[in-house]
Amino acid sequence: MLLTGSDRRPRIACVGTYLPRRCGIATFTHDLCESICQEANDPETCHVVAMNDTPDGYAYTDRVRFEVRQEELADYRLAADFINIRKVGLLLVQHEYGIFGGVAGTHLLAMLNDVTVPVVTTMHTVLRDPSDEIFKATIQLVDLSDRIVVMAHRAVEILQETYGVSPEKIEMIPHGIPDVPFVDPAVHKDKFGVEGRKVMLTFGLLSPGKGIEYAIRALPQLVREHPDLIYIVLGETHPHIKKTRGEEYRHELQRLADELGVLDHVLFQDRFVSLQELCGFLGAADIYVTPSLAEGQIVSGTLAYALGAGSAVVSTPYSYAREMLADDRGRLVPFSDSAAIAKEVGWLLDHEPECQAMRKKAYKFTRSAVWREVARAYLDVFRDVRDHPIVDRQPPFAKGSAATSLVPAVPELKLDHVCAMTDDVGIFQHARFTIPNRDHGYCTDDNARALIFALQAHRLTDLSELVDMAKIYLSFLQHAFNAENGRFRNFMSYDRRWLEEAGSEDAHGRAMWALGFAVADAPSVGMRAAALDLFNRALRTTETFQAPRAWAFTLVGIDAYLRRYGGDSEARRIRETLAVRLFDKFHSNRAENWIWPEDELTYANGKLPHALLLAGQSMQRPEMVEMGLDSLRWLLGVKTASNGVLSPVGNDGWYHRDREKAQFDQQPIESHALLEACIEAYNVSSEEQWLVESRRCFDWFLGRNPLKKPLYDYETGGCRDALQPAGVNENEGAESTLAWLLSLLAIRSLEPASAEAKPRPPVEANVEANVEANVGANC
């Protein structure tokens, strides 16, 4: 029996990530261990020491015997003790710098220094030009390993030339692949609903640097020549990228495909598929495209799998691809060159005999890499290491061991920034970049918005923390109400001093808006009772107001309130009073090219037609509904640029009917108000164009705007304050962040309704994104 005699104890401890963790290394570790056990004819040949990147770990199978928290150095030493006590014969390390803690993964070295058994290390990344930290970590890794296994001949050269590793310490074993038959792609296409179509495929965990945008940019030309072409992008977003940036990259790809008019020719499969299903996808592919931008990538499991399935491959010339696609086993194209991708893919689709010959070469070349052969090669290395270890390992006591959608490209809800902006008083008004700015304290305006958000988000997610936040915001509004004059104060300093006895009419209206929603959506009787009491005490004052926006905010709040207490005659009476006033203002000031109740467009303009639509529908006043729709159409016409993107009125000059419209600074509050008005217009009219317009408003946050710059911050979950002539205002204050969050909740409410919605409006150019990711080649 291998390594430790004839007993049934595990013989090899394999360190790495492991399924069900979503990671290429995890898949590799699983497949290698299973193959080794099969070749050794002993299911106990391998056990796994799994690396965890989350506190709770994963639901592992019994093959995992020990778990290490990535950033906890003590766990690495405990793992070494566990390995020594279990008396395994050999430690097999699946090495990628990013899966181990410490600078350049140096926590692993503590484990390797303490184990008393030989170490074989498989290096999934070998860098030709490493940083000083990575160079030092690699040298120590090599010194503590009896053998280094790499998966490309170029990696052997780099280890020798850059790191000075002696040849006898290096083994070249190809990346393992499943053993699948060579078949015509038509055999598998019906399984995925693409029978009769040409299929182009890319698979793997999505992250920036994969270059998929260049493959999508190649599609317009390819589709003109091959109208039946479908491009399948298979794989979910890399978990680490998803945690910090959400689905930003996938959404950029979806928007790009939409802008280029090829969205119907791109199929995004946001899944981590089983091996059996993956083999089916590979079998169905006519062309496999790997447009990676990582020139030094020394191994690619996805490329190995594609070649092993006999796919015709078009790839950028990264290191591993140059080696694997030599001798006409595939086609290479320059980096970031969509035209070249289109040319090579098109040529292969047009020349089926040559394409078939290339597929056969690739398939034949990879037969030595099927997992059975790879497992045998590893077992040979293990035997050699057992007989000829290189590293002199001391017993533990000698070293002082420690033993003893329908709506595509919509980001997920992320609460990080709104939580950071909230303390036990309320939500701060402003931020300096992403840090709360205490100099400006708090205001009723923002706490009202925050209350609406927290309640709506709780309804969506059922997160208890949102209820706690809602209580803070409601408490702020309670304290803001001045019972002596029946008005809400607005501004509070950081030391909790009110700076006025009565705030603006608009601030009072926003409080009524929030209280109406709290009455309707409060998750507890106590919260509803508090909101109801405050709503009733503050309502009558609104009859004295002169500001149209204050009327509008109050009307939206009354509408929500009446959803729960529709029989409240006082609320219904005040609704009619304010709605008639607003309608009369629109009617009296309307002109041929100016459908607005004032002579100037300022901020939150969409809330005025929104209020008319709600009131007109509830009161069965069709003239109000019609005025709401007409004014909203006019408003969108004013605020939509010639290239189809939303361009709200800037607050640096606003838009007077006798002057030019100010282009900047454009603020999120305006896009949010327009979005909610468009959704209500759809609810009233059932005209799907309003869904298109609502999406246009939402996309403003994501970069479909005059500067083609996103205001949403995928990292924090916040929103930048404005579009300015020179770029984006990087401060992420409460108003802008809440405008984004409320817009996100609103657009998500469309998912059931807009399954049949028309395509989103085109824009002139793709939104540029500056995203950097440090993700291993196989992760």
Side-chain angles (χ1 to χ4, degrees):
M1 302 298 290
L2 177 66
L3 295 180
T4 59
S6 58
D7 60 60
R8 297 287 295 175
R9 289 177 297 185
R11 290 136 172 92
I12 302 164
C14 186
V15 178
T17 57
Y18 198 75
L19 296 178
R21 180 170 170 179
R22 303 311 202 207
C23 172
I25 304 292
T27 301
F28 183 96
T29 304
H30 171 271
D31 293 347
L32 178 59
C33 287
E34 293 302 313
S35 299
I36 288 173
C37 289
Q38 290 176 17
E39 287 305 306
N41 197 29
D42 183 352
E44 293 296 311
T45 299
C46 287
H47 73 243
V48 173
V49 176
M51 301 302 306
N52 286 339
D53 60 346
T54 63
D56 296 332
Y58 298 88
Y60 296 117
T61 64
D62 291 343
R63 195 167 296 287
V64 172
R65 306 296 173 83
F66 197 91
E67 299 177 39
V68 174
R69 292 169 293 178
Q70 179 175 318
E71 300 300 335
E72 295 294 328
L73 180 60
D75 282 12
Y76 292 81
R77 297 191 180 279
L78 291 172
D81 295 339
F82 178 83
I83 292 165
N84 293 336
I85 291 170
R86 299 283 291 186
K87 297 181 180 179
V88 299
L90 181 138
L91 182 65
L92 173 62
V93 177
Q94 299 305 316
H95 184 268
E96 176 66 71
Y97 297 99
I99 68 173
F100 301 108
V103 177
T106 48
H107 283 5
L108 172 67
L109 302 177
M111 182 195 301
L112 302 189
N113 189 64
D114 282 1
V115 296
T116 59
V117 298
V119 175
V120 173
T121 297
T122 303
M123 293 188 69
H124 291 256
T125 294
V126 182
L127 299 175
R128 183 184 60 187
D129 299 307
S131 65
D132 289 342
E133 292 84 2
I134 288 181
F135 179 81
K136 292 175 183 177
T138 304
I139 292 297
Q140 293 179 72
L141 176 70
V142 169
D143 288 345
L144 290 170
S145 301
D146 293 272
R147 296 290 190 280
I148 298 292
V149 176
V150 292
M151 290 171 271
H153 294 288
R154 179 58 182 145
V156 175
E157 297 171 359
I158 294 174
L159 284 176
Q160 294 176 349
E161 296 167 359
T162 302
Y163 303 95
V165 183
S166 61
E168 61 269 18
K169 204 170 193 178
I170 306 172
E171 300 286 346
M172 210 299 286
I173 302 176
H175 191 294
I177 58 173
D179 191 3
V180 297
F182 184 84
V183 297
D184 187 277
V187 172
H188 291 280
K189 289 183 179 181
D190 61 332
K191 300 176 184 177
F192 307 106
V194 292
E195 60 272 18
R197 303 188 68 174
K198 296 295 185 182
V199 176
M200 190 168 85
L201 172 70
T202 296
F203 86 89
L205 294 173
L206 260 62
S207 64
K210 298 292 187 180
I212 295 171
E213 59 269 29
Y214 294 100
I216 291 176
R217 288 185 183 277
L219 289 179
Q221 178 180 337
L222 286 169
V223 168
R224 283 194 296 271
E225 299 169 355
H226 301 275
D228 61 343
L229 180 67
I230 183 79
Y231 179 31
I232 300 176
V233 180
L234 174 64
E236 65 183 20
T237 298
H238 191 286
H240 288 174
I241 297 299
K242 193 169 186 177
K243 183 177 181 181
T244 59
R245 309 292 299 188
E247 293 288 357
E248 183 175 19
Y249 183 55
R250 183 185 303 277
H251 295 164
E252 288 171 356
L253 297 177
Q254 291 172 332
R255 290 195 295 272
L256 175 60
D258 188 20
E259 291 166 4
L260 294 174
V262 294
L263 192 57
D264 290 342
H265 294 269
V266 184
L267 178 61
F268 290 94
Q269 290 281 311
D270 184 9
R271 295 186 293 132
F272 192 91
V273 298
S274 67
L275 177 61
Q276 180 179 1
E277 193 171 8
L278 173 59
C279 291
F281 273 105
L282 286 168
D286 295 280
I287 308 290
Y288 182 79
V289 177
T290 168
S292 172
L293 306 179
E295 184 175 1
Q297 185 173 342
I298 204 66
V299 66
S300 168
T302 61
L303 177 56
Y305 273 43
L307 291 170
S311 297
V313 176
V314 174
S315 174
T316 50
Y318 55 90
S319 181
Y320 188 67
R322 290 197 303 271
E323 184 170 318
M324 295 297 288
L325 301 183
D327 300 325
D328 203 29
R329 291 187 293 268
R331 294 294 180 88
L332 297 176
V333 296
F335 292 103
S336 309
D337 193 334
S338 299
I341 294 174
K343 178 181 177 182
E344 293 298 338
V345 171
W347 191 92
L348 290 170
L349 292 176
D350 289 335
H351 296 79
E352 187 172 345
E354 291 85 348
C355 182
Q356 186 76 350
M358 189 171 74
R359 292 182 59 226
K360 289 180 179 179
K361 281 187 178 182
Y363 185 81
K364 183 177 180 180
F365 176 75
T366 54
R367 291 312 86 201
S368 61
V370 297
W371 277 117
R372 177 182 62 255
E373 300 299 328
V374 168
R376 290 171 181 171
Y378 270 93
L379 289 170
D380 288 342
V381 171
F382 298 160
R383 294 187 183 96
D384 185 52
V385 168
R386 178 194 59 185
D387 296 337
H388 305 97
I390 295 177
V391 179
D392 181 18
R393 301 185 185 279
Q394 299 177 359
F397 62 83
K399 298 186 288 186
S401 170
T404 161
S405 147
L406 150 101
V407 183
V410 175
E412 296 295 323
L413 179 65
K414 191 169 187 177
L415 302 177
D416 297 19
H417 190 58
V418 73
C419 289
M421 290 287 287
T422 301
D423 67 4
D424 63 337
V425 174
I427 190 166
F428 290 104
Q429 279 194 82
H430 298 295
R432 181 66 175 163
F433 297 101
T434 61
I435 305 303
N437 188 339
R438 302 184 183 190
D439 292 343
H440 297 280
Y442 318 84
C443 70
T444 292
D445 287 328
D446 291 332
N447 279 276
R449 297 183 186 101
L451 177 58
I452 297 169
F453 161 73
L455 293 173
Q456 290 186 348
H458 176 259
R459 191 171 57 189
L460 175 69
T461 66
D462 204 33
L463 291 173
S464 60
E465 66 207 62
L466 287 163
V467 177
D468 295 334
M469 294 167 70
K471 290 178 180 177
I472 291 173
Y473 307 137
L474 180 56
S475 176
F476 186 96
L477 295 185
Q478 280 188 147
H479 190 46
F481 185 68
N482 187 340
E484 294 181 4
N485 59 19
R487 294 286 296 275
F488 286 94
R489 293 165 285 210
N490 195 13
F491 297 109
M492 175 189 278
S493 63
Y494 180 65
D495 60 1
R496 304 189 183 189
R497 289 183 299 106
W498 288 110
L499 305 180
E500 56 196 357
E501 289 303 309
S504 67
E505 292 182 0
D506 284 7
H508 192 110
R510 284 195 182 91
M512 298 306 299
W513 176 18
L515 292 170
F517 272 84
V519 170
D521 296 332
S524 68
V525 174
M527 284 188 68
R528 180 173 298 116
L532 177 63
D533 174 68
L534 193 53
F535 182 90
N536 287 330
R537 287 197 289 155
L539 179 59
R540 184 164 294 183
T541 302
T542 63
E543 289 187 279
T544 68
F545 289 170
Q546 301 301 311
R549 280 167 188 75
W551 302 338
F553 294 139
T554 302
L555 284 168
V556 177
I558 291 175
D559 183 81
Y561 172 88
L562 290 174
R563 280 193 277 117
R564 181 166 288 276
Y565 297 115
D568 189 325
S569 57
E570 179 73 352
R572 292 162 65 95
R573 182 187 65 79
I574 293 176
R575 176 184 65 184
E576 182 169 2
T577 298
L578 298 182
V580 169
R581 286 182 190 172
L582 184 58
F583 174 77
D584 288 345
K585 269 279 191 181
F586 268 94
H587 189 268
S588 63
N589 206 51
R590 180 171 183 167
E592 182 178 354
N593 296 315
W594 191 265
I595 311 177
W596 202 245
E598 302 166 306
D599 290 333
E600 190 174 52
L601 288 176
T602 55
Y603 65 94
N605 296 294
K607 199 54 65 181
L608 278 67
H610 185 190
L612 277 183
L613 291 169
L614 288 171
Q617 187 177 32
S618 298
M619 296 165 57
Q620 298 184 349
R621 297 283 296 270
E623 72 278 17
M624 287 186 180
V625 173
E626 190 61 28
M627 182 67 78
L629 293 173
D630 287 349
S631 62
L632 185 56
R633 290 189 190 97
W634 175 82
L635 196 59
L636 289 166
V638 169
K639 300 186 178 192
T640 302
S642 59
N643 64 350
V645 301
L646 187 72
S647 182
V649 171
N651 73 351
D652 187 14
W654 302 120
Y655 179 27
H656 193 278
R657 66 192 305 172
D658 297 325
R659 295 194 294 269
E660 292 293 321
K661 183 181 80 169
Q663 297 299 321
F664 300 101
D665 296 343
Q666 296 181 15
Q667 297 186 315
I669 186 177
E670 184 64 11
S671 297
H672 165 239
L674 284 168
L675 187 154
E676 290 198 337
C678 289
I679 292 176
E680 189 55 36
Y682 173 77
N683 293 337
V684 169
S685 68
S686 299
E687 295 174 7
E688 291 185 349
Q689 180 60 30
W690 293 114
L691 298 179
V692 176
E693 297 297 342
S694 66
R695 183 65 206 220
R696 190 195 308 274
C697 298
F698 183 79
D699 284 348
W700 180 89
F701 291 92
L702 301 178
R704 288 191 176 199
N705 53 52
L707 296 185
K708 301 184 177 69
K709 299 290 185 183
L711 284 88
Y712 173 55
D713 185 342
Y714 276 83
E715 182 174 357
T716 68
C719 180
R720 301 169 180 95
D721 278 352
L723 283 183
Q724 298 175 321
V728 176
N729 182 330
E730 294 291 343
N731 297 329
E732 296 182 13
E735 178 181 289
S736 55
T737 292
L738 290 165
W740 155 256
L741 291 169
L742 289 167
S743 298
L744 177 62
L745 296 179
I747 207 71
R748 284 198 170 276
S749 74
L750 292 177
E751 291 181 353
S754 58
E756 303 298 328
K758 296 177 182 178
R760 300 192 301 278
V763 297
E764 288 184 333
N766 182 38
V767 178
E768 296 179 358
N770 298 312
V771 182
E772 295 180 358
N774 183 18
V775 182
N778 274 327
C779 275

